[in-house]
């Protein structure tokens, strides 16, 4: 077999340029000089005998060949990382890395607690938490950049076959009011009372806002009739605005535990209505599953899960046994190699 016309370093440089949009920023992100980056790209183009970038504009734009190489390069680099992590696993949780993904609410309020418990048991394992939109998180799990994730939104349909999706927990959405609001003195309010309130919400295009609207709609609450006082860009900003008396909001109960305990927000029940959404655990059953990920799934996830989680975990464990058996068969032991 002839030598490959590219190196892993060249693939890393190509990926950095595509992400950063310029040769200079890519060089800075990789801690190398810009001339070194330019030289590597020139060598790569010469070896492949195709241009990889359109050099006419101010921003580095990939050509069709550049996009093709980047697509395969991402897969190659992902497999390299997966290989390194599999080798690290030989140390039996005395090292290695666990990478967990989450959508915004779960990543901000749920996962830090879970990771804290895991770190107490396995302090030698490096843990990374990647918090992004549900869509981006699902793609990261699919391509092996993240071991597993807990999300609250909808999985992209094109990933349905590559991801295993398991119901994990119920996340209740609570109506919160300023403690000085007249409704805060009532034990419950009626559904129709919601349309008398001034609401504070996330941007209408945000994933979390869309999920909340969908969940409320399933409870026959028409958010199109809400009077929106303002739109903010974070749950924390919304809580502070409600606390300041600017309006009402629907937020996850996991996001307001501290404020309720301190008595700075009021949670108002709606008669006959419980607003809940399902949180999902997602993972790629066809990817290598590290011992750290196995330990996190076995020892931490059940502590925050639905009562029926045991059956779902059994299903996951059976899948992992099959995958690990396949990996063992594919990897000869020392006696086989001798």
């Amino acid at each position: 077999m002839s030598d490959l016309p590219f190196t892993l370093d060249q693939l890393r440089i190509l990926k950095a340029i595509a992400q950063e949009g310029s040769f200079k920023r890519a060089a800075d992100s990789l801690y190398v000089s810009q001339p070194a980056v330019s030289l590597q790209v020139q060598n790569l183009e010469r070896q492949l005998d195709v241009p990889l970038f359109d050099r006419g504009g101010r921003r580095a734009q990939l050509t069709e060949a550049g996009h093709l190489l980047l697509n395969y390069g991402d897969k190659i680099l992902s497999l390299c990382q997966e290989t390194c992590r599999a080798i690290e696993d030989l140390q039996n949780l005395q090292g290695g890395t666990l990478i967990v993904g989450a959508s915004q609410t779960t990543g901000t309020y749920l996962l830090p607690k879970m990771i804290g418990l895991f770190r107490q048991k396995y302090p030698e394992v490096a843990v990374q938490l990647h918090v992004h939109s549900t869509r981006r998180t699902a793609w990261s799990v699919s391509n092996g950049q993240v071991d597993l994730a807990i999300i609250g939104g909808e999985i992209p349909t094109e990933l349905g076959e590559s991801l295993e999706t398991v119901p994990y927990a119920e996340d209740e959405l609570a109506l919160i009011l300023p403690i000085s609001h007249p409704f805060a003195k009532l034990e419950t309010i009626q559904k129709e009372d919601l349309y008398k309130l001034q609401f504070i919400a996330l941007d209408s295009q945000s994933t979390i806002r869309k999920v909340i609207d969908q969940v409320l709609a399933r409870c026959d609450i028409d958010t199109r009739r809400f009077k929106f006082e303002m739109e903010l860009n974070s749950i924390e900003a919304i809580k502070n605005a409600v606390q300041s008396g600017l309006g009402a909001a629907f937020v996850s109960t996991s996001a307001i535990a501290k404020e309720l305990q301190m008595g700075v927000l009021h949670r108002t029940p709606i008669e006959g209505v419980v607003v809940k959404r399902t949180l999902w655990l997602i993972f790629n059953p066809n990817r290598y599953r590290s011992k750290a990920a196995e330990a996190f799934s076995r020892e931490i996830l059940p502590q925050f899960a639905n009562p029926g989680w045991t059956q779902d975990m059994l299903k996951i464990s059976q899948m992992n046994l099959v995958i690990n058996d396949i990996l063992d068969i594919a990897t000869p032991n020392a006696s086989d190699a001798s």
Side-chain angles (χ1 to χ4, degrees), residues 93 115-124 295 299-300 303:
L93 288 178
I115 290 172
L117 290 174
F118 183 79
R119 289 279 291 154
Q120 289 176 18
K121 300 191 72 171
Y122 302 104
E124 301 301 320
E299 301 174 29
I300 305 301
Q303 299 186 44

Side-chain angles (χ1 to χ4, degrees), residues 310-323:
T310 305
Q311 288 75 16
D312 294 326
M313 279 297 291
L314 178 60
K315 175 176 153 186
I316 294 173
S317 298
Q318 289 170 341
M319 285 184 180
N320 290 333
L321 286 173
V322 172
I323 293 168

Side-chain angles (χ1 to χ4, degrees), residues 4-20 26 29-30 36-37 39-45 47-48 50 52-53 62 65-81 145:
L4 292 172
F6 53 77
T7 65
L8 293 179
D9 279 340
Q10 288 172 332
L11 294 181
R12 289 176 63 240
I13 288 171
L14 179 73
K15 183 175 181 179
I17 296 171
Q19 289 177 335
E20 300 294 337
S29 71
L30 296 172
V37 166
L39 180 61
Q40 287 281 24
V41 172
Q42 291 170 13
N43 290 339
L44 181 57
E45 290 179 322
Q47 289 158 352
L48 293 171
V50 291
L52 298 174
F53 291 94
L62 288 168
H67 280 293
L68 183 66
L69 181 59
L70 179 64
N71 183 38
Y72 281 99
D74 271 340
K75 296 176 182 177
I76 292 168
L77 292 172
S78 178
L79 283 172
C80 289
Q81 293 169 349
Q145 294 174 327

Side-chain angles (χ1 to χ4, degrees), residues 156-196:
T157 54
E158 61 267 33
L159 296 180
E161 294 184 0
S162 64
L163 292 178
E164 183 69 23
T165 305
V166 181
Y168 176 64
E170 294 294 325
D171 179 34
E172 186 174 353
L173 300 176
L175 173 67
I176 56 172
L177 293 170
I179 56 175
S180 59
H181 195 282
F183 283 177
K185 299 179 176 62
L186 304 177
E187 289 188 8
T188 62
I189 65 171
Q190 303 300 311
K191 194 183 299 184
E192 287 297 316
D193 291 329
L194 294 173
Y195 307 120
K196 303 172 186 176

Side-chain angles (χ1 to χ4, degrees), residues 90-313:
L90 296 176
Q91 299 178 29
N92 194 27
L93 288 178
Q94 296 304 308
T97 305
L98 170 69
I99 305 177
V100 184
S103 51
Q104 294 293 335
T105 303
T106 56
T108 303
Y109 302 105
L110 177 61
L111 265 301
K113 300 175 186 177
M114 302 170 79
I115 290 172
L117 290 174
F118 183 79
R119 289 279 291 154
Q120 289 176 18
K121 300 191 72 171
Y122 302 104
E124 301 301 320
V125 177
V127 182
Q128 298 178 22
L129 173 60
H130 294 188
V131 181
H132 297 292
S133 67
T134 292
R135 181 177 183 83
R136 183 171 172 183
T137 299
W139 275 103
S140 296
V141 175
S142 177
N143 63 29
Q145 294 174 327
V146 170
D147 289 314
L148 55 88
I150 299 175
I151 50 96
E154 293 184 357
I155 306 296
T157 54
E158 61 267 33
L159 296 180
E161 294 184 0
S162 64
L163 292 178
E164 183 69 23
T165 305
V166 181
Y168 176 64
E170 294 294 325
D171 179 34
E172 186 174 353
L173 300 176
L175 173 67
I176 56 172
L177 293 170
I179 56 175
S180 59
H181 195 282
F183 283 177
K185 299 179 176 62
L186 304 177
E187 289 188 8
T188 62
I189 65 171
Q190 303 300 311
K191 194 183 299 184
E192 287 297 316
D193 291 329
L194 294 173
Y195 307 120
K196 303 172 186 176
L197 295 170
Q198 298 289 332
F199 274 93
I200 301 167
L202 293 167
D203 180 88
S204 59
Q205 298 304 310
S206 73
T207 301
I208 304 176
R209 169 76 175 274
K210 291 176 181 177
V211 169
I212 290 175
D213 287 352
Q214 291 169 359
V215 173
L216 292 174
R218 290 198 291 268
C219 296
D220 294 324
I221 296 172
D222 186 0
T223 57
R224 293 172 299 181
R225 294 175 57 190
F226 282 4
K227 301 170 186 174
F228 289 102
E229 181 71 18
M230 63 180 68
E231 293 183 343
L232 302 175
N233 63 1
S234 73
I235 301 296
E236 289 299 309
I238 288 174
K239 292 192 298 182
N240 288 333
V242 174
Q243 185 177 331
S244 300
L246 299 179
F250 277 99
V251 298
S252 168
T253 54
S254 64
I256 55 173
K258 181 175 67 176
E259 287 78 9
L260 292 179
Q261 186 177 17
M262 295 171 60
V264 295
L265 286 175
H266 182 79
R267 177 181 176 180
T268 302
I270 307 167
E271 187 169 330
V273 176
V274 178
V275 185
K276 290 184 177 181
R277 64 169 178 161
T278 300
L279 299 181
W280 302 89
L281 169 71
I282 58 173
F283 64 96
N284 187 337
N286 299 312
R287 288 282 185 175
Y288 176 79
R289 193 169 175 84
S290 69
K291 290 183 179 178
E294 289 287 357
F296 187 82
S297 299
R298 183 178 60 251
E299 301 174 29
I300 305 301
L301 288 179
Q303 299 186 44
F304 298 83
N306 282 340
W309 171 250
T310 305
Q311 288 75 16
D312 294 326
M313 279 297 291

